[in-house]
């Protein structure tokens, strides 16, 4: 009754004549009146939300454990399509443009990675593109985090910029870095498996189909030392604990970009702490693990919330 009284005590104005504060107050009062007496219904809705989240989490964990390939593909598809659909619906054209640009180039790279037979230059091309995406996402994430942190300390006032502007840009850069970083790593992992399997020195679920020669890199299939007028790749090499030797760029791409921690030939565990002796390179490995939590937030959380809304609608709750 007090809320209704507040509405009647407001000046007799048309909706167009109301100030912003008065409009917000009217909407707030109407919302309270609409939900008055619905406390039990709201409790049911919260119970449905928590139960659905718990059940969905258990289902996803079991699915990932029992059928990892289908879980990985479905998650990647959700990561790729859902943010684009939401952005298109809300006319977030900046994200739509970047999504289309990166997706088109990535599709061309993936097409080359899945071709049979794999060309000798393809693995390096694939790793270069995804390593570029990886470093770009890392830089955007750090820039967004630093900008958000500086806003909390009031550094924006030195440049006479309002806090919400720096905060919006910081969160935006942080999301771009995390999103495209996760998406790029997942696609790179699929490409790494496909290329190595087609070359024949690596099989995800069994023994290699080809015997690795001493002077050949099992990641790209190129020789380490080549004769005059012979096609190949000459660069630094790296020897793993198992004794197998690879191009340094290839094994770094395999471990960092492709998220592999095993030898591409014999699948023995790779000690990343020995591989990356430079302390500035180790955060890249840690950063790759920190990106994994975003998959649930982007791919599955919208679907779970849509399921919750469907259950609430089916039960006739408001």
């Amino acid at each position: 009754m007090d809320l209704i009284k507040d509405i009647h005590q407001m000046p007799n104005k048309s909706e167009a004549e109301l100030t912003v504060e008065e409009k917000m107050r009217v909407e707030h009062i109407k919302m309270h009146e609409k939900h008055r007496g619905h406390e039990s219904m709201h409790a049911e809705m919260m119970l449905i939300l928590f139960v659905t989240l718990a059940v969905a989490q258990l289902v996803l964990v079991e699915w990932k454990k029992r059928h990892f390939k289908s879980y990985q593909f479905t998650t990647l598809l959700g990561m790729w399509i859902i943010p684009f659909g939401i952005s298109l619906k809300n006319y977030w054209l900046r994200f739509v443009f970047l999504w289309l640009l990166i997706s088109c180039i990535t599709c061309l790279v993936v097409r080359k990675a899945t071709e049979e037979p794999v060309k000798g230059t393809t693995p390096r091309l694939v790793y270069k593109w995804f390593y570029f995406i990886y470093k770009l996402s890392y830089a955007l994430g750090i820039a967004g985090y630093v900008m958000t942190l500086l806003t909390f300390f009031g550094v924006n006032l030195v440049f006479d910029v309002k806090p919400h502007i720096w905060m919006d840009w910081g969160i935006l850069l942080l999301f771009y870095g995390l999103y495209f970083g996760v998406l790029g790593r997942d696609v790179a992992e699929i490409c790494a498996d496909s290329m190595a399997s087609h070359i024949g020195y690596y099989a995800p679920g069994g023994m290699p189909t080809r015997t690795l020669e001493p002077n050949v890199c099992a990641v790209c299939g190129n020789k380490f030392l080549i004769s005059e007028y012979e096609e190949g790749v000459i660069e630094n090499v790296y020897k793993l604990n198992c004794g197998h030797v690879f191009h340094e760029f290839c094994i770094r791409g395999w471990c960092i970009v492709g998220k592999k921690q095993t030898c591409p030939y014999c699948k023995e565990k790779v000690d990343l702490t020995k591989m990356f002796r430079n302390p500035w390179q180790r955060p890249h490995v840690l950063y790759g693990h920190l990106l994994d939590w975003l998959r649930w937030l982007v791919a599955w959380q919208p679907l779970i919330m849509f399921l919750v809304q469907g259950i609430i609608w089916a039960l006739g709750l408001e």
Side-chain angles (χ1 to χ4, degrees):
M1 292 298 295
D2 293 337
L3 296 175
I4 297 176
K5 185 178 179 181
D6 288 341
I7 294 179
H8 290 299
Q9 286 179 349
M10 285 186 174
N12 188 14
K13 300 178 182 179
S14 64
E15 185 176 351
E17 295 175 340
L18 293 175
T19 63
V20 176
E21 291 78 7
E22 290 174 340
K23 289 181 179 179
M24 292 177 63
R25 186 180 178 190
V26 170
E27 292 296 328
H28 184 71
I29 292 173
K30 289 181 178 179
M31 183 188 69
H32 276 280
E33 284 300 313
K34 179 180 179 181
H35 293 277
R36 180 183 291 273
H38 292 177
E39 288 77 9
S40 61
M41 185 180 297
H42 294 164
E44 293 179 20
M45 294 168 64
M46 292 301 297
L47 180 61
I48 291 173
L49 173 62
F50 290 134
V51 171
T52 305
L53 287 173
V55 172
Q57 189 66 31
L58 290 175
V59 171
L60 291 176
V61 169
E62 287 299 319
W63 184 10
K64 182 178 180 180
K65 186 187 300 183
R66 299 174 183 272
H67 307 283
F68 178 75
K69 289 297 183 182
S70 62
Y71 170 83
Q72 181 189 42
F73 178 77
T74 306
T75 303
L76 177 60
L77 195 62
M79 282 278 297
W80 185 47
I81 295 177
I82 292 176
F84 176 74
I86 295 175
S87 300
L88 203 59
K89 180 182 178 182
N90 293 280
Y91 299 102
W92 296 337
L93 300 182
R94 185 190 299 111
F95 179 84
V96 171
F97 171 77
L98 289 176
W99 187 93
L100 289 173
L101 177 63
I102 293 178
S103 295
C104 289
I105 299 176
T106 301
C107 287
L108 293 175
V109 173
V110 171
R111 182 181 176 183
K112 292 187 68 67
T114 54
E115 288 179 348
E116 291 189 62
V118 179
K119 297 181 181 178
T121 56
T122 297
R124 298 179 61 81
L125 171 66
V126 173
Y127 286 133
K128 281 182 179 180
W129 167 246
F130 286 114
Y131 193 54
F132 168 75
I133 293 294
Y134 176 78
K135 295 181 71 173
L136 179 63
S137 66
Y138 187 85
L140 290 176
I142 293 297
Y145 175 75
V146 171
M147 184 172 289
T148 304
L149 196 63
L150 292 178
T151 306
F152 282 114
F153 286 103
V155 179
N156 57 288
L157 299 177
V158 178
F159 300 94
D160 194 23
V161 180
K162 294 182 178 180
H164 72 272
I165 296 178
W166 273 33
M167 185 63 69
D168 290 345
W169 274 101
I171 295 175
L172 184 68
L173 292 176
L174 189 60
F175 172 77
Y176 280 0
L178 291 173
Y179 173 73
F180 287 111
V182 173
L183 194 63
R185 283 173 61 83
D186 288 350
V187 178
E189 183 178 10
I190 295 176
C191 291
D193 281 342
S194 176
M195 289 186 300
S197 299
H198 291 165
I199 291 175
Y201 296 120
Y202 171 81
M207 296 297 293
T209 58
R210 296 173 62 183
T211 302
L212 182 64
E213 300 177 9
N215 62 334
V216 174
C217 173
V219 176
C220 66
N222 290 318
K223 296 180 180 180
F224 298 124
L225 300 176
I226 58 175
S227 304
E228 189 176 6
Y229 304 116
E230 185 179 358
E231 184 178 357
V233 178
I234 302 178
E235 65 173 25
N236 295 332
V237 297
Y238 187 89
K239 187 175 183 179
L240 300 181
N241 297 334
C242 58
H244 295 122
V245 184
F246 306 91
H247 291 122
E248 185 176 7
F249 182 85
C250 291
I251 196 61
R252 287 177 182 271
W254 175 266
C255 293
I256 297 180
V257 182
K259 295 196 302 182
K260 305 297 184 182
Q261 297 187 30
T262 58
C263 172
Y265 184 70
C266 67
K267 300 183 179 63
E268 182 174 324
K269 183 73 173 181
V270 175
D271 188 358
L272 298 181
T273 59
K274 292 183 178 180
M275 177 178 294
F276 306 115
R277 298 183 183 277
N278 186 343
W280 291 105
Q281 294 175 331
R282 293 180 187 177
H284 291 280
V285 180
L286 177 62
Y287 177 70
H289 294 294
L290 293 178
L291 292 176
D292 294 341
W293 69 271
L294 193 67
R295 293 184 182 86
W296 187 89
L297 181 63
V298 175
W300 294 112
Q301 191 261 351
L303 295 178
I304 294 174
M305 296 307 298
F306 181 78
L307 177 61
V308 170
Q309 291 292 334
I311 295 173
I312 291 175
W313 176 82
L315 295 177
L317 303 176
E318 295 183 1

